[in-house]
Amino acid sequence: MTISLLVADDHEVVRAGVAAMLLGSDVKVIAEATSGNQAIEQAMKLRPDVVLLDVRLPETDGLEALERILDRSPQTKVVMFTAYDNPTYIARAVALGAAGFLMKGSTKADVLSAITRAHTGLPPENESLM
């Protein structure tokens, strides 16, 4: 089973790194977005299984984009992705319905696990993921 993924991050090196990390896995990057608005548009157009969404994005921040994506496409799972270990971000993401929360320093195994578990509806398997 292939999981379709939209990667939303304003840094090209992060998007490229995630795509390279996922090569050969059951997760296929079907699109990328560089802003919150673009993430919302791509999610509505392509209906990916999972969105890997940076918390801090231009135009519309990731938390607002999370809320808008889930409001318009509740079947889409969203895993928040950030370099900021901020309890407020985590609490807001959980309250808004995020399926996971990853730090950008996470391992390949953690990234794959978070995406797979979000897609299947399972809770994160360790506390670093939510």
Side-chain angles (χ1 to χ4, degrees):
M1 159 187 69
T2 301
I3 300 170
S4 61
L5 180 72
L6 165 63
V7 179
D9 195 287
D10 54 331
H11 295 98
E12 182 177 4
V13 69
V14 173
R15 295 188 314 272
V18 169
M21 178 185 284
L22 298 173
L23 284 175
S25 74
D26 289 337
V27 180
K28 180 180 180 193
V29 176
I30 61 166
E32 297 178 3
T34 60
S35 70
N37 288 347
Q38 196 175 57
I40 296 163
E41 290 169 12
Q42 292 283 27
M44 295 309 96
K45 177 182 173 185
L46 301 172
R47 304 290 178 168
D49 296 318
V50 179
V51 176
L52 188 62
L53 182 63
D54 189 7
V55 171
R56 296 183 70 180
L57 290 169
E59 297 172 3
T60 300
D61 74 27
L63 294 168
E64 174 67 22
L66 163 67
E67 185 173 28
R68 291 172 57 188
I69 289 168
L70 294 181
D71 183 55
R72 297 176 186 175
S73 182
Q75 75 281 3
T76 300
K77 305 301 183 192
V78 179
V79 175
M80 301 306 294
F81 195 49
T82 187
Y84 302 96
D85 189 9
N86 182 323
T88 302
Y89 289 157
I90 297 170
R92 285 189 60 208
V94 170
L96 292 170
F101 195 96
L102 277 172
M103 297 302 299
K104 287 186 178 176
S106 296
T107 66
K108 177 180 180 176
D110 283 346
V111 173
L112 281 168
S113 176
I115 293 166
T116 303
R117 293 178 78 79
H119 175 64
T120 58
L122 294 172
E125 61 185 359
N126 69 47
E127 301 197 3
S128 71
L129 302 178
M130 184 64 103

